[in-house]
Amino acid sequence: MNKLILTTSLLLVAVFTVAYLYFSNITATSLSNDRALSLIPHDAALIFQFKNDKSIYDIFSDYTVFDAIIGKQKQGELRALKTILQNSKPIFQSTLGQDIFISFHSMDDSVAFLWIMPLPQGIGDKDVIESLQENKDIQYKASKIGNESISEVYIKSLKRIFYLQVKQQVVSGSFSRKVMEESIDLKREKIDKKLIDQINKASNQNQNTPASVFVNFKNSIPFLSGFFQNKLPGSFSLLNKCHAIATLNMNFKSDALMFNGITDIDTSNQNYINLFLHQQAIKNTIKRVVPDNSANYIAYGMSDYLKFHKDLKRLLLLRKELDGLNTTLSQIKSESGIDPERDIEKYWADEFITFQLSTQEKYAVIQLNNGRQMQFFMEPLSTAYSQNIWHLNYPGLLYYYFGDPLKQFNKPFFTIVDNQMIISNSPESIQRYLDHYSRNLLYTNDKFMTFDQLVADRSNISIFVHVKNSNSNISSDLKPGYAKIFKSEEYGLKNFYGFSYQWTSVGDHFFTNFYAGFKQKQEPNQVTANIDSLN
């Protein structure tokens, strides 16, 4: 009995000792990362994280997909930094396994990054400086930004200066003096504690992924605005007041860029995306209406439309827009005898989609439960433009029923084909869709079928961008310097077929997928043949 008690006691001591060592290590790592992350300027919308590990560098050394996105200049910059680190062998060996963070910041005509790595115990600030001074591949010079001491590291292979600071067990640096100045000035605003906590949590949990990306949606609008000539296109209204943090882990695939993970969203902040947290994911079928010359689309799915509309009305009330829309409903009722809440609402189904063509024409399509009955009730609210096309007489009706994505279609033209309402602000566009576009659909295209095989078929919000078909939009919307990137040989963006981003509701957060398909080499009809062979 005494032996049993002794053995049990020893086991308990061992368990508590291991637990203590494990959690104390996590705490030490988190504190170390806290110091590093607290240097990132507040405008960072993207933060890339990976380990200082030879196996990770080996993965990225031949990863042309990653190089295609960041471009040759950024490739050279990151490789030069890696070489400097590896050439400082004592420092490199001592920092193996340490987290490295790269935050991205929008400049007037480019994107700059801030490189940060916390130092482990036993490596002092002076050790790093001495190692840099001994490195013959660079020219080291002590300098200052304001009252802060920094180092100017002239990298001979790049003929560029890297501004670097080693302070309080953290190495940080940037090729942008402006970003470095914003980082080391502690009076300037930095990323908030909630984002730091999220990154620390993910760093402790995700040990098997080559890299992670953290998306700070709160800063997405100002970050993206730096790329566009004018204000952001209407499709970006989804991001308005979206206070969310996505933690996306990389899945390595040689011919694609793939991340998936969780998006935690602030449910106390009222925004449109929150409405889908109360919905279950559904199978995406409405994308089948999209023509093959589409530049992009956003498909939406709800498992319970009536619940969705109830939540939407609550949002419209908070925005102080509901009274005006209710006035429109009362006007419809008095002038036409149609009660939208009684006669129309029940015919809205569970999917709708907005899309833009390579011609820059914009459309929306709403799935209906009964197209014939919807036609019967919509005609008294509209003016006939032609035999098949009608012009809605009352503003904001579709916004009232579906929210932000359809706000751009205030008093649109529409036609109803089977159980789908096709919408545009131009009657000519509706006619072109009926005559031409509907006969050549994207989902029948071999390349799209190949791409779509790696996209989840169930979600609540699904975004797709077709790179080649977006050329016109890229030229007209982006600043010239950014638009050139899509054609430049310095980058490989033109070799991507498309990009997909999906939100799938899971309780109080979203499961999120990002997928970019690169250099498809599949022969025409190969996918069709593969599918036929399975039948």
Side-chain angles (χ1 to χ4, degrees):
M1 185 66 176
N2 291 334
K3 289 183 179 179
L4 178 61
I5 293 173
L6 178 61
T7 302
T8 304
S9 300
L10 289 173
L11 286 173
L12 284 172
V13 170
V15 168
F16 283 118
T17 301
V18 170
Y20 170 76
L21 292 173
Y22 174 75
F23 287 109
S24 63
N25 182 60
I26 287 177
T27 302
T29 300
S30 297
L31 289 173
S32 180
N33 284 350
D34 277 355
R35 288 195 299 271
L37 294 168
S38 63
L39 295 175
I40 298 178
H42 79 286
D43 64 336
L46 290 172
I47 299 173
F48 188 73
Q49 179 240 339
F50 61 98
K51 298 287 186 184
N52 182 32
D53 187 280
K54 187 177 183 302
S55 63
I56 303 297
Y57 293 128
D58 289 342
I59 288 174
F60 283 105
S61 64
D62 297 317
Y63 192 31
T64 56
V65 177
F66 185 71
D67 292 345
I69 288 182
I70 66 173
K72 291 183 179 179
Q73 179 177 321
K74 291 290 187 291
Q75 291 171 36
E77 291 173 359
L78 292 174
R79 286 169 183 164
L81 294 177
K82 183 196 76 171
T83 300
I84 291 172
L85 182 61
Q86 289 182 330
N87 286 348
S88 305
K89 291 184 180 180
I91 303 297
F92 181 74
Q93 292 296 328
S94 300
T95 57
L96 286 174
Q98 289 293 116
D99 287 319
I100 294 177
F101 302 97
I102 300 176
S103 61
F104 294 85
H105 305 268
S106 178
M107 301 286 104
D108 291 335
D109 57 354
S110 64
V111 174
F113 69 80
L114 177 69
W115 183 95
I116 301 177
M117 181 177 70
L119 293 172
Q121 294 297 322
I123 297 294
D125 300 347
K126 289 183 179 180
D127 297 326
V128 178
I129 297 299
E130 289 174 1
S131 178
L132 290 171
Q133 291 172 334
E134 293 171 1
N135 192 328
K136 299 185 184 303
D137 296 325
I138 62 173
Q139 292 178 356
Y140 175 86
K141 173 185 168 184
S143 184
K144 279 184 174 292
I145 292 181
N147 295 323
E148 289 286 333
S149 297
I150 67 161
S151 303
E152 290 186 10
V153 178
Y154 180 78
I155 302 175
K156 297 176 182 179
S157 61
L158 299 177
K159 298 181 180 179
R160 294 191 65 191
I161 293 174
F162 185 71
Y163 302 94
L164 182 141
Q165 185 181 60
V166 187
K167 185 177 181 180
Q168 295 182 341
Q169 296 293 114
V170 175
V171 183
S172 62
S174 178
F175 287 97
S176 167
R177 186 180 179 91
K178 180 182 177 182
V179 168
M180 195 63 190
E181 183 179 348
E182 291 177 354
S183 171
I184 64 178
D185 186 349
L186 299 182
K187 294 180 180 179
R188 299 204 185 190
E189 188 179 357
K190 304 298 190 292
I191 59 173
D192 60 39
K193 185 68 166 59
K194 186 175 181 180
L195 177 56
I196 292 175
D197 290 344
Q198 191 77 10
I199 294 173
N200 273 328
K201 179 182 176 182
S203 298
N204 291 327
Q205 291 177 345
N206 304 326
Q207 301 295 324
N208 297 321
T209 182
S212 296
V213 169
F214 302 91
V215 184
N216 184 11
F217 284 96
K218 185 177 180 180
N219 290 339
S220 58
I221 292 288
F223 180 79
L224 291 169
S225 296
F227 295 85
F228 286 82
Q229 297 187 46
N230 303 303
K231 67 178 183 178
L232 291 177
S235 55
F236 287 99
S237 63
L238 275 177
L239 303 177
N240 288 334
K241 296 184 179 180
C242 179
H243 293 179
I245 298 170
T247 302
L248 306 177
N249 300 317
M250 180 180 174
N251 296 314
F252 182 77
K253 194 173 186 299
S254 61
D255 61 348
L257 189 64
M258 301 180 70
F259 288 87
N260 61 54
I262 298 297
T263 297
D264 286 311
I265 194 160
D266 182 358
T267 54
S268 66
N269 186 62
Q270 296 298 325
N271 77 296
Y272 184 75
I273 293 177
N274 282 8
L275 303 182
F276 293 90
L277 283 175
H278 302 151
Q279 302 291 322
Q280 296 178 6
I282 68 165
K283 190 174 179 65
N284 306 133
T285 59
I286 200 164
K287 61 188 176 184
R288 289 171 171 259
V289 305
V290 174
D292 66 357
N293 64 330
S294 292
N296 59 73
Y297 69 69
I298 308 179
Y300 305 83
M302 308 85 70
S303 56
D304 184 344
Y305 172 75
L306 295 179
K307 170 63 176 169
F308 170 83
H309 189 225
K310 182 179 179 181
D311 290 342
L312 174 59
K313 286 193 288 186
R314 190 178 295 113
L315 177 61
L316 295 172
L317 178 64
L318 290 169
R319 291 177 176 176
K320 299 181 179 179
E321 296 177 312
L322 188 58
D323 287 346
L325 292 167
N326 281 334
T327 299
T328 299
L329 297 184
S330 298
Q331 184 184 358
I332 290 172
K333 189 174 180 180
S334 64
E335 292 178 358
S336 68
I338 303 296
D339 182 348
E341 300 288 71
R342 180 194 67 201
D343 302 324
I344 292 176
E345 183 175 289
K346 60 188 174 184
Y347 294 118
W348 301 124
D350 57 357
E351 287 187 279
F352 66 101
I353 191 169
T354 61
F355 57 91
Q356 185 176 18
L357 305 185
S358 59
T359 58
Q360 300 194 27
E361 295 169 278
K362 295 180 180 180
Y363 295 85
V365 177
I366 304 171
Q367 192 72 32
L368 307 173
N369 289 320
N370 189 320
R372 182 173 295 182
Q373 284 295 101
M374 181 64 85
Q375 181 80 41
F376 176 80
F377 287 113
M378 289 296 290
E379 284 187 9
L381 316 185
S382 311
T383 300
Y385 176 83
S386 66
Q387 183 178 357
N388 299 318
I389 301 173
W390 297 77
H391 188 202
L392 186 60
N393 294 331
Y394 298 93
L397 187 64
L398 299 180
Y399 175 58
Y400 171 75
Y401 280 115
F402 294 97
D404 297 7
L406 296 193
K407 191 172 187 177
Q408 60 187 310
F409 303 101
N410 190 40
K411 289 176 64 177
F413 294 85
F414 70 89
T415 188
I416 295 177
V417 179
D418 297 326
N419 285 332
Q420 289 162 343
M421 178 184 285
I422 296 113
I423 299 156
S424 176
N425 288 323
S426 162
E428 291 81 11
S429 291
I430 296 284
Q431 195 61 57
R432 279 191 289 273
Y433 183 89
L434 294 173
D435 294 343
H436 305 292
Y437 300 148
S438 62
R439 299 176 185 177
N440 299 285
L441 299 174
L442 184 64
Y443 85 96
T444 64
N445 182 284
D446 290 315
K447 289 186 177 180
F448 180 78
M449 291 170 70
T450 300
F451 177 91
D452 204 44
Q453 285 180 338
L454 291 176
V455 175
D457 66 349
R458 300 179 71 86
S459 66
N460 294 103
I461 302 175
S462 184
I463 300 172
F464 170 71
V465 177
H466 189 294
V467 173
K468 185 176 181 180
N469 288 349
S470 296
N471 284 338
S472 176
N473 300 327
I474 289 168
S475 298
S476 62
D477 292 342
L478 295 184
K479 291 178 179 178
Y482 290 116
K484 288 179 182 178
I485 287 174
F486 283 84
K487 298 178 181 179
S488 172
E489 295 299 327
E490 294 289 310
Y491 292 78
L493 292 175
K494 62 185 177 181
N495 293 319
F496 283 93
Y497 174 77
F499 303 95
S500 170
Y501 198 93
Q502 293 179 295
W503 282 280
T504 302
S505 175
V506 185
D508 61 350
H509 60 269
F510 291 101
F511 186 75
T512 306
N513 285 304
F514 172 80
Y515 166 52
F518 187 71
K519 280 189 177 180
Q520 293 186 3
K521 297 180 180 180
Q522 199 154 12
E523 295 298 325
N525 299 318
Q526 183 176 338
V527 174
T528 305
N530 291 342
I531 292 174
D532 289 342
S533 67
L534 297 174
N535 294 332

